[in-house]
């Protein structure tokens, strides 16, 4: 199972960006999909997650500004980011866990995509 993230880029403070991440491979079921980020010198931290049933969780720092969603038919998770701040600058990683058809469970990471917010 692989995750391919896209989107990101550079934006000014207050702007918006969107990320998407597609899961591919021998997927029987996708459970929780999510976004994490890692700023230079910092540990990777949770941004938002969403279950297959649509239950979402957000880091306090992004509540009200970011929205996570998913398309189960397309094995895709999205992150729409509004009112971006310089503190949101980081490499964003998608993550997904679930079950394969024949190789048991998986928990995989995408390759990361850079989001840069300038003041």
């Amino acid at each position: 199972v692989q995750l391919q993230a896209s989107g990101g880029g550079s934006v000014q403070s207050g702007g918006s960006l969107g990320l998407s991440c597609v899961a591919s491979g021998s997927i029987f079921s996708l459970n929780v999909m999510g976004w994490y980020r890692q700023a230079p010198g910092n540990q990777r931290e949770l941004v938002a997650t969403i279950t297959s049933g649509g239950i979402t969780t957000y880091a306090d720092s992004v509540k009200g500004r970011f929205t996570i969603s998913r398309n189960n038919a397309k094995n895709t998770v999205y992150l729409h980011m509004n009112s971006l701040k310089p503190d949101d600058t980081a490499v964003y990683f998608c993550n997904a866990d679930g079950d394969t058809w024949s190789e048991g469970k998986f928990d995989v990471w995408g390759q990361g995509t850079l989001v840069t917010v300038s003041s």
Side-chain angles (χ1 to χ4, degrees):
V1 177
Q2 294 182 328
L3 299 180
Q4 180 66 48
S6 60
S10 297
V11 66
Q12 290 192 325
S13 182
S16 299
L17 282 174
L19 306 178
S20 62
C21 178
V22 181
S24 62
S26 182
I27 301 170
F28 174 72
S29 65
L30 271 172
N31 299 330
V32 180
M33 302 184 79
W35 291 95
Y36 294 73
R37 67 186 181 186
Q38 187 167 15
N42 290 354
Q43 291 187 335
R44 191 172 298 187
E45 64 178 9
L46 169 73
V47 176
T49 63
I50 184 167
T51 69
S52 57
I55 298 172
T56 59
T57 60
Y58 293 94
D60 287 343
S61 59
V62 307
K63 282 181 181 176
R65 300 188 298 121
F66 290 11
T67 301
I68 189 170
S69 61
R70 65 190 280 174
N71 183 324
N72 290 330
K74 295 183 178 181
N75 289 343
T76 302
V77 63
Y78 307 94
L79 185 69
H80 189 70
M81 305 178 287
N82 290 326
S83 302
L84 282 160
K85 306 174 182 179
D87 283 350
D88 296 317
T89 295
V91 177
Y92 284 69
F93 298 89
C94 56
N95 173 266
D97 66 71
D99 296 272
T100 64
W101 284 101
S102 61
E103 296 174 345
K105 297 186 179 297
F106 66 87
D107 187 335
V108 294
W109 292 88
Q111 82 280 15
T113 184
L114 178 63
V115 171
T116 304
V117 184
S118 58
S119 58

